[in-house]
Amino acid sequence: MKQFWRAVAVLALMVNFSCAHADDTAKLRQTIEKNLPGVKIGAIKKLPYKAMYQVVGNGINVFYTDASGNVGFFGKLIDLKHKKNLTDEEAQKIRVVDFASLPLKDAFVRVKGNGKRKLAIFSDPDCPFCQRLEQELQHVDNVTIYTFLYPLSIHPDSHRKAGQIWCAKDRAKAWDDWMLERKALPSGEAKCKTPIKEIAALAQKLWITGTPGLIFENGKLVPGVPQQNQLKVMLDKSADKQVASSSN
């Protein structure tokens, strides 16, 4: 009987702690949302480091705050003892997309070499980082690239250019001509139906807020421009993981 009541007492303490923690997190969320208007706050997790909390913002960004929610740290949290980048580890967990669910019909396709590896890119024709990525891709072989045209509002003419590229007879050639050689696109608005609006909605759903946004076959979402060697390693790892999962 004593053991029974001890168990009840422990359970009551656990419930009380859980409720108190949930209440603290709810208050913290309210404060952060007030301090960061426009940022959608996701999961909040108490870390085992003093009064530090981990926060996910806008679906894919990891940052940190204290119990007050009035100060924030936006950077890399490193476990010095075990030499681990805790921020990158968490980001890799949450930045995952189901590659098979992507509407590939809304992308134009380029096949390099045997096309064995797969890569999807959300890209803007007036984005300088996207142009740099295309330069890097010139040195990558044996990959099928699906490019989703995602013109950003910060580039006033990119929507028109994206339309012209989609409506071109050879979309891949029109893209390469513009991005790599800066050959002029036709003037005026595109005269065909484009999936640009649907792609923008998809990008927002996936929390791709900038370009380029890369999605590998294993679902890993990478913002920005990986260097050539990093890109090759990521493609190899992604392809290897897909082969392993399909053979199980």
Side-chain angles (χ1 to χ4, degrees):
M1 182 62 72
K2 287 183 179 179
Q3 290 181 342
F4 171 77
W5 288 113
R6 283 199 194 101
V8 171
V10 170
L11 181 61
L13 286 172
M14 290 174 63
V15 170
N16 288 336
F17 175 79
S18 177
C19 291
H21 178 69
D23 188 51
D24 289 344
T25 303
K27 291 179 180 177
L28 181 57
R29 181 183 299 278
Q30 291 177 356
T31 303
I32 298 172
E33 289 175 344
K34 182 179 179 181
N35 289 333
L36 295 175
V39 176
K40 186 173 182 179
I41 304 302
I44 299 176
K45 181 170 70 175
K46 176 74 171 65
L47 298 179
Y49 314 114
K50 299 283 184 182
M52 183 179 289
Y53 288 79
Q54 175 185 284
V55 185
V56 177
N58 284 345
I60 60 172
N61 299 308
V62 178
F63 66 96
Y64 307 93
T65 185
D66 66 353
S68 74
N70 291 316
V71 295
F73 171 66
F74 297 80
K76 306 294 185 183
L77 184 65
I78 309 297
D79 182 336
L80 299 177
K81 182 178 180 180
H82 300 100
K83 308 297 187 291
K84 294 195 301 184
N85 188 323
L86 301 178
T87 304
D88 282 354
E89 284 187 1
E90 190 65 25
Q92 288 175 13
K93 292 177 185 176
I94 63 177
R95 291 176 179 172
V96 178
V97 175
D98 180 8
F99 193 95
S101 70
L102 293 174
L104 300 181
K105 62 179 178 57
D106 291 337
F108 66 84
V109 185
R110 289 171 289 169
V111 179
K112 305 184 69 176
N114 61 25
K116 183 178 180 180
R117 301 175 296 182
K118 295 180 181 179
L119 176 66
I121 304 173
F122 285 71
S123 199
D124 177 334
D126 278 346
C127 161
F129 295 103
C130 300
Q131 294 163 19
R132 200 169 92 196
L133 174 63
E134 292 300 327
Q135 294 290 344
E136 295 290 341
L137 288 171
Q138 291 300 293
H139 308 286
V140 178
D141 204 4
N142 298 329
V143 59
T144 298
I145 304 170
Y146 302 90
T147 302
F148 292 89
L149 293 168
Y150 182 32
L152 303 178
S153 58
I154 59 173
H155 301 135
D157 197 37
S158 63
H159 192 282
R160 183 191 68 81
K161 289 171 181 169
Q164 291 289 3
I165 290 166
W166 183 260
C167 293
K169 185 176 181 180
D170 186 336
R171 295 164 182 162
K173 184 178 185 305
W175 177 260
D176 287 342
D177 284 350
W178 170 249
M179 298 297 281
L180 296 173
E181 300 181 31
R182 272 302 186 249
K183 290 184 179 178
L185 293 167
S187 60
E189 296 295 327
K191 295 183 179 179
C192 75
K193 182 175 173 56
T194 76
I196 293 173
K197 184 177 179 180
E198 289 77 11
I199 291 171
L202 175 63
Q204 292 174 13
K205 181 181 177 181
L206 299 177
W207 296 104
I208 300 175
T209 56
T211 54
L214 288 72
I215 301 176
F216 293 83
E217 195 174 2
N218 61 2
K220 186 173 182 179
L221 170 60
V222 177
V225 185
Q227 293 182 352
Q228 179 188 140
N229 291 338
Q230 291 177 315
L231 190 56
K232 290 178 180 179
V233 169
M234 290 176 182
L235 284 167
D236 285 338
K237 284 184 177 180
S238 177
D240 289 344
K241 187 170 182 180
Q242 286 302 112
V243 170
S245 59
S246 62
S247 62
N248 289 336

